[in-house]
């Protein structure tokens, strides 16, 4: 089955700096990669996703890059703000079979004001 | 509250008790999921239902028994649980199986004493 590794497990940045979270996956047939954000005491919510037919996707201060050859994808947050503080989860899915999301272990991001 | 709701939000039960968790989605989605979230572990998929049929049972112990009476409701029946079953249990729904955003409920914080 799919295995997703996520690094780092914790990340602390100064407000205004950039944050990068990296994930690797094992199943070369995986083709859908979402990122979820979970604020303290709240439910996970999708913030951005990417499919394997593109290499990069941006949404305001958030971007995700995908390297299919190396089987890794990354979340980039620019101009971080205190409200970006949360746990971020990456996930991977082979949408053609199984339809199951495999999640990484999460990254706790702290943005220092 | 709209979207995906879960009750109860908190539950303390003894190992010999029987209890049920309830999930309801108001989004008209066809797929529903149960996840277990433990500290420092990835989100673990437990069960997947599509149009009220179970399509995934992820090697979950039989002390957890799901029920999906219709596409809007999902239950997780619990009996003779172990202390290591203490966790946050999250319900989610999506438009269909596959690469669609999953909408999570607020979760039930379960403590087994």
């Amino acid at each position: 089955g799919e295995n997703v590794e996520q690094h780092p497990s914790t990340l602390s940045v100064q407000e205004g700096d950039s944050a990068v979270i990296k994930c690797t996956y094992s199943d070369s047939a995986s083709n859908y990669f979402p990122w979820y954000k979970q604020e303290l005491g709240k439910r996970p919510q999708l913030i951005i996703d990417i499919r394997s037919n593109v290499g990069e996707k941006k949404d305001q201060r958030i971007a995700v890059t995908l390297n299919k050859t190396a089987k890794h994808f990354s979340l980039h947050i620019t101009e971080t703000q205190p409200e970006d503080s949360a746990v971020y989860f990456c996930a991977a899915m082979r949408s053609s079979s199984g339809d199951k999301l495999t999640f990484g272990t999460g990254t706790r991001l702290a943005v220092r004001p | 509250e709209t979207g995906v709701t879960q009750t109860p939000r908190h539950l303390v039960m003894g190992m010999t008790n029987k209890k049920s968790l309830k999930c309801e989605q108001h989004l008209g989605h066809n797929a529903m999921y149960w996840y277990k979230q433990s500290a420092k572990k990835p989100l673990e998929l437990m069960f997947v239902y599509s149009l009220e049929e179970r399509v995934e049972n992820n090697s979950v112990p039989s002390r957890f028994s799901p029920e999906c009476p219709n596409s809007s409701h999902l239950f997780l029946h619990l009996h003779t649980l172990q202390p290591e079953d203490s966790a946050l249990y999250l319900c989610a729904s999506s438009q269909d199986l596959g690469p669609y955003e999953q909408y999570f409920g607020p979760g039930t914080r379960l403590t087994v004493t």
Side-chain angles (χ1 to χ4, degrees), chain A residues 32 36 38 41 43-44 46 51 89 93 95 98-101 103-105, chain B residues 1 4 35 37 42-43 45 56 58 97-102 104-106:
Chain A
Y32 173 63
Y36 283 80
Q38 187 175 27
R43 67 193 78 190
L46 180 73
R51 295 162 202 262
F89 295 94
M93 171 193 279
S95 62
D99 297 314
K100 181 177 76 170
L101 270 180
F103 283 88
T105 49
Chain B
E1 189 177 354
V4 181
Y35 287 92
Q37 187 173 34
L43 280 162
L45 181 66
E56 179 84 28
N58 226 23
L97 292 180
Y100 299 99
E101 177 176 0
Q102 292 190 12
F104 285 84

Side-chain angles (χ1 to χ4, degrees), chain B:
Chain B
E1 189 177 354
T2 58
V4 181
T5 59
Q6 288 185 245
T7 55
R9 296 292 304 275
H10 300 271
L11 178 61
V12 179
M13 59 185 289
M15 290 191 285
T16 58
N17 290 159
K18 290 184 180 181
K19 296 286 184 183
S20 296
L21 309 185
K22 179 183 176 182
C23 175
E24 184 173 359
Q25 57 99 358
H26 310 269
L27 301 168
H29 289 168
N30 293 323
M32 295 188 76
Y33 312 80
W34 278 117
Y35 287 92
K36 177 183 179 182
Q37 187 173 34
S38 305
K40 298 185 179 179
K41 285 189 174 181
L43 280 162
E44 300 173 56
L45 181 66
M46 301 175 72
F47 301 104
V48 181
Y49 277 82
S50 176
L51 296 171
E52 303 149 47
E53 287 195 24
R54 190 191 308 182
V55 296
E56 179 84 28
N57 179 347
N58 226 23
S59 302
V60 178
S62 59
R63 57 186 183 270
F64 295 91
S65 174
E67 178 189 1
C68 188
N70 55 63
S71 59
S72 299
H73 293 85
L74 187 64
F75 294 89
L76 188 62
H77 303 298
L78 317 171
H79 65 97
T80 58
L81 294 191
Q82 305 299 310
E84 59 264 30
D85 297 322
S86 299
L88 182 69
Y89 288 85
L90 289 162
C91 172
S93 70
S94 62
Q95 179 182 325
D96 283 296
L97 292 180
Y100 299 99
E101 177 176 0
Q102 292 190 12
Y103 292 78
F104 285 84
T108 295
R109 174 68 63 186
L110 173 66
T111 302
V112 181
T113 60

